[in-house]
Amino acid sequence: MRKKILAANWKMNLTHIEAESYMHTFLGEIGEVDDVEIVMIPPFTSIPVLAQISEKAPFIRIGAQNMHWERSGAYTGEISATMLRVLFVKYVVIGHSERRMLFGETDETVNRKVHSALEAGLRPIVCVETVLRRQLELGLKDLSVKDAVEIVIAYEPVWAIGTGRTATPAQAEEAHRFIRSVLSKMFGTGPAERVRIQYGGSVKPENAQELLRQSDIDGALIGGASLDPHSFAKIIRHAEAVLH
Ligand code: PEP
């Protein structure tokens, strides 16, 4: 049984002061949650505040939106996996379509980052969006089976990100099955069955439940709708409802 994983990708939004008041509202609304995994992915500047708040809400995990593959060195403006790890970060988004389109990330840099993240004890959320087989084969190249099962894949059709247009549950399910079949060929059927595959692209309270009901949709990566604590809380409740 794959535990559903709901992740809030804030992108370049919310100061650490706004993040604190967001979390206050959000935690007040959701109460204790243990049957789905919640990952908050703020800008780097809000990670310490969120890490501190999550000490009192250990079911909240912290993620980062990006990292560099080197451990340290002359890479002005970059952040390493170890720097994130010591801030209690557990997940890191790698290869988001905005990073591929706007910042020149390639399947090769994605692959370097995936290896470096795993080595530091972070779990990568690897985003794939168009050429699924190639992005998976190159992005996850040379991973051991042991590492592969630590990974989360986020399927994010580019036309659905931030546009208000969502893949239908059937379209998303079909893409997720295809992704799992590629993972099966790469790592074997058993391990592929353990990998969680999130859907991303204009997920909101109105469509979350139908999407999360699909058997190969193991969670969601949520941008716009996660900026409002009430709407992210509603999505969490929908995810819990699917299980009961
Ligand atoms: C995303 O940032 O990964 C995303 C899916 O954004 P949105 O939910 O706004 O489409």
Side-chain angles (χ1 to χ4, degrees):
M1 186 62 184
R2 299 179 293 264
K3 192 170 190 173
K4 299 238 190 254
I5 175 167
L6 284 295
N9 174 17
W10 288 355
K11 313 191 183 190
M12 196 173 72
N13 292 292
L14 306 184
T15 65
H16 74 281
I17 298 159
E18 292 165 328
E20 201 168 345
S21 93
Y22 175 112
M23 289 307 286
H24 191 71
T25 309
F26 178 64
L27 291 175
E29 282 205 19
I30 58 168
E32 284 262 324
V33 176
D34 60 13
D35 41 9
V36 300
E37 195 170 357
I38 302 173
V39 188
M40 304 306 302
I41 312 180
F44 295 128
T45 48
S46 292
I47 288 175
V49 161
L50 259 66
Q52 202 178 11
I53 293 171
S54 71
E55 273 176 31
K56 287 181 219 105
F59 53 92
I60 300 278
R61 313 248 185 261
I62 314 293
Q65 298 176 16
N66 183 33
M67 54 167 269
H68 195 272
W69 57 83
E70 293 290 351
R71 286 185 193 180
S72 61
Y75 302 100
T76 302
E78 295 291 334
I79 298 228
S80 75
T82 312
M83 292 170 186
L84 296 172
R85 196 72 195 99
V86 296
L87 283 172
F88 306 103
V89 169
K90 180 150 186 183
Y91 288 93
V92 59
V93 174
I94 296 181
H96 190 280
S97 66
E98 285 151 17
R99 298 228 41 102
R100 292 182 194 253
M101 276 188 300
L102 305 172
F103 301 101
E105 288 221 357
T106 63
D107 294 324
E108 286 69 32
T109 60
V110 166
N111 186 246
R112 284 181 169 205
K113 290 182 181 192
V114 167
H115 280 278
S116 168
L118 288 161
E119 208 177 293
L122 295 175
R123 301 185 69 170
I125 298 178
V126 182
C127 302
V128 294
E129 71 307 280
T130 39
V131 243
L132 300 179
R133 184 191 300 278
R134 194 203 70 206
Q135 289 181 336
L136 290 165
E137 286 177 354
L138 298 181
L140 307 184
K141 193 163 167 246
D142 296 332
L143 277 198
S144 65
V145 169
K146 182 175 141 287
D147 280 344
V149 296
E150 294 292 316
I151 291 206
V152 175
I153 301 290
Y155 166 63
E156 303 210 298
V158 260
W159 52 265
I161 297 181
T163 59
R165 293 170 58 215
T166 323
T168 64
Q171 280 171 336
E173 173 71 1
E174 191 185 336
H176 283 221
R177 288 219 174 130
F178 175 73
I179 289 169
R180 210 177 295 286
S181 75
V182 176
L183 295 174
S184 285
K185 287 202 187 86
M186 291 177 75
F187 304 108
T189 310
E193 283 299 320
R194 288 172 59 195
V195 174
R196 289 175 297 174
I197 307 174
Q198 296 176 305
Y199 168 77
S202 300
V203 174
K204 39 189 181 264
E206 298 75 41
N207 58 28
Q209 204 169 123
E210 268 319 297
L211 287 160
L212 292 169
R213 223 182 266 294
Q214 308 303 310
S215 61
D216 278 283
I217 300 185
D218 307 312
L221 181 56
I222 303 140
S226 76
L227 290 173
D228 171 14
H230 305 288
S231 93
F232 190 43
K234 270 192 201 141
I235 294 174
I236 305 292
R237 280 199 293 273
H238 285 311
E240 290 181 296
V242 166
L243 302 173
H244 299 129

